[in-house]
């Protein structure tokens, strides 16, 4: 399975969502998205392949995606300090969208 | 000369204390480092068994969480240690998808798939490594402060 376009597809669709629905939060959300994709691209591709090959199911894929958000929150806590970081800053809707994009990415190609 | 050296040492010590207060980071704590490393090793050992029924390993999981609870209490009461405590809160929160979340899932599903165990284990190990690295860096930070003061006083 070629996952080269996956991260690009996620980026484009989430940017569109931010522009349409989260205009007021745009700068913060785009930064969160950038951090998430930069630190997670390799994992997103690996989990997508595992999901496509039925190594993990939909629920497990969702669990892993959320664990990545929690891991990034921990990293942020460590580097930025407690006063500068809001845990769960990465909006749930965006995470949900990334999850849906991966599911449809796999469905389209199977 | 001997008195001067003692005085310089005391001044350096007071500078370190003041400096640590101002940066609001606790000093390196070998107990925290050792306990976190032990918890990491124990957690991996138990997670490796998650392809088997949870009920068979319930006691091991409970023993692990008792250790985590004790360490968390210790971290909570240490001055200027908010970040370490906050990191432990994320790890031990059953609603988050890291250490406690993994065991909650195991309990509710009874057994977990080997591929899922492998992938989630990587996530949880990274999280515990972050905590360990953070503790080590406190040591580095205090050493740098000490060296700086020694250089200033030499």
């Amino acid at each position: 399975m070629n996952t080269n376009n996956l991260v690009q597809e996620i980026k484009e669709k989430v940017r569109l969502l931010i522009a349409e629905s989260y205009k007021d939060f745009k700068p913060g959300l785009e930064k969160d998205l950038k951090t998430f994709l930069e630190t997670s691209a390799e994992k997103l591709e690996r989990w997508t392949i595992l999901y496509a090959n039925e190594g993990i199911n939909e629920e497990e894929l969702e669990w892993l995606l959320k664990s990545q958000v929690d891991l990034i929150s921990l990293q942020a806590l460590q580097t930025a300090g407690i006063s500068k970081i809001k845990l769960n800053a990465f909006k749930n809707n965006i995470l949900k969208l990334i999850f849906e994009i991966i599911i449809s990415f796999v469905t389209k190609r199977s | 000369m001997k008195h001067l050296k003692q005085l310089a040492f005391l001044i350096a010590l007071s500078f370190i204390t003041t400096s640590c207060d101002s940066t609001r980071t606790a000093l390196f704590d070998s107990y925290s480092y050792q306990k976190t490393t032990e918890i990491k090793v124990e957690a991996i050992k138990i997670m490796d068994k998650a392809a088997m029924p949870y009920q068979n390993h319930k006691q091991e999981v409970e023993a692990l969480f008792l250790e985590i609870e004790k360490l968390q209490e210790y971290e909570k009461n240490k001055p200027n240690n908010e970040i370490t405590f906050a990191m432990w809160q994320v790890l031990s929160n059953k609603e988050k998808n890291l250490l406690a979340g993994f065991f909650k899932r195991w309990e509710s599903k009874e057994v977990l798939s080997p591929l899922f165990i492998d992938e989630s284990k990587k996530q949880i190990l990274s999280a515990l490594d972050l905590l360990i690295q953070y503790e080590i860096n406190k040591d580095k930070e205090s050493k740098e402060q000490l060296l700086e003061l020694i250089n200033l006083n030499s």
Side-chain angles (χ1 to χ4, degrees):
Chain A
M1 176 178 218
N2 181 6
T3 55
N4 289 342
N5 299 326
L6 177 69
V7 175
Q8 199 50 42
E9 195 173 325
I10 291 174
K11 248 186 226 173
E12 281 163 18
K13 288 193 176 166
V14 175
R15 275 201 185 123
L16 199 68
L17 176 85
I18 293 171
E20 280 172 0
S21 318
Y22 297 97
K23 266 184 254 170
D24 297 343
F25 306 99
K26 203 176 163 191
L29 280 179
E30 280 190 341
K31 201 174 153 227
D32 286 344
L33 173 70
K34 195 168 170 261
T35 311
F36 184 79
L37 292 178
E38 271 172 9
T39 49
S40 320
E42 199 187 307
K43 287 176 188 173
L44 289 183
E45 286 172 13
R46 194 172 66 239
W47 294 337
T48 304
I49 294 170
L50 280 175
Y51 173 66
N53 297 333
E54 294 176 13
I56 56 172
N57 61 31
E58 216 172 288
E59 224 182 79
E60 289 168 336
L61 172 69
E62 194 178 5
W63 195 98
L64 289 168
L65 280 173
K66 284 182 184 164
S67 77
Q68 184 62 9
V69 175
D70 291 337
L71 192 59
I72 290 170
S73 300
L74 273 191
Q75 276 165 339
L77 254 178
Q78 195 194 42
T79 53
I82 202 155
S83 59
K84 292 173 193 161
I85 185 76
K86 287 180 216 151
L87 286 177
N88 294 326
F90 196 77
K91 299 285 175 287
N92 282 337
N93 281 350
I94 291 185
L95 186 67
K96 203 174 151 220
L97 183 71
I98 293 175
F99 173 69
E100 281 164 6
I101 293 166
I102 293 178
I103 303 289
S104 74
F105 185 86
V106 173
T107 318
K108 263 193 291 185
R109 281 154 183 80
S110 58
Chain B
M1 190 64 190
K2 194 181 164 192
H3 289 299
L4 268 176
K5 274 187 181 169
Q6 281 174 339
L7 187 65
F9 177 74
L10 284 173
I11 291 170
L13 205 64
S14 69
F15 265 115
I16 291 169
T17 317
T18 319
S19 165
C20 290
D21 276 349
S22 60
T23 53
R24 294 192 175 278
T25 308
L27 290 171
F28 170 75
D29 183 334
S30 60
Y31 176 78
S32 296
Y33 173 73
Q34 190 190 330
K35 284 307 289 182
T36 310
T37 310
E38 281 173 16
I39 286 170
K40 180 186 158 186
V41 173
E42 194 56 31
I44 303 166
K45 230 171 75 183
I46 305 174
M47 285 174 79
D48 280 334
K49 298 173 184 172
M52 292 180 267
Y54 176 83
Q55 287 306 320
N56 298 357
H57 301 282
K58 194 180 171 190
Q59 280 183 337
E60 291 163 71
V61 177
E62 282 171 355
L64 175 73
F65 275 89
L66 181 63
E67 289 307 302
I68 292 173
E69 212 178 303
K70 285 186 215 164
L71 182 59
Q72 234 182 307
E73 200 54 30
Y74 177 78
E75 301 291 1
K76 186 173 96 180
N77 294 310
K78 218 156 57 175
N80 303 325
N81 198 37
E82 292 82 359
I83 293 177
T84 300
F85 179 62
M87 288 169 88
W88 269 118
Q89 278 183 310
V90 175
L91 273 157
S92 63
N93 185 344
K94 285 184 177 177
E95 301 314 311
K96 300 269 177 202
N97 290 12
L98 289 171
L99 189 62
F102 174 89
F103 289 108
K104 183 190 169 191
R105 187 173 171 83
W106 184 14
E107 187 177 11
S108 69
K109 299 284 167 191
E110 191 57 15
V111 289
L112 298 175
S113 76
L115 279 171
F116 175 73
I117 296 169
D118 279 350
E119 290 302 316
S120 47
K121 201 167 76 180
K122 284 178 201 158
Q123 294 294 91
I124 293 157
L125 289 187
S126 301
L128 286 163
D129 281 338
L130 277 177
L131 254 171
I132 293 168
Q133 286 304 317
Y134 184 64
E135 197 59 44
I136 292 171
N137 283 334
K138 287 179 187 171
D139 191 28
K140 211 171 116 193
E141 202 176 295
S142 46
K143 263 185 199 162
E144 277 165 9
Q145 285 167 350
L146 185 61
L147 279 173
E148 207 174 294
L149 284 165
I150 289 169
N151 289 337
L152 274 175
N153 288 305
S154 63

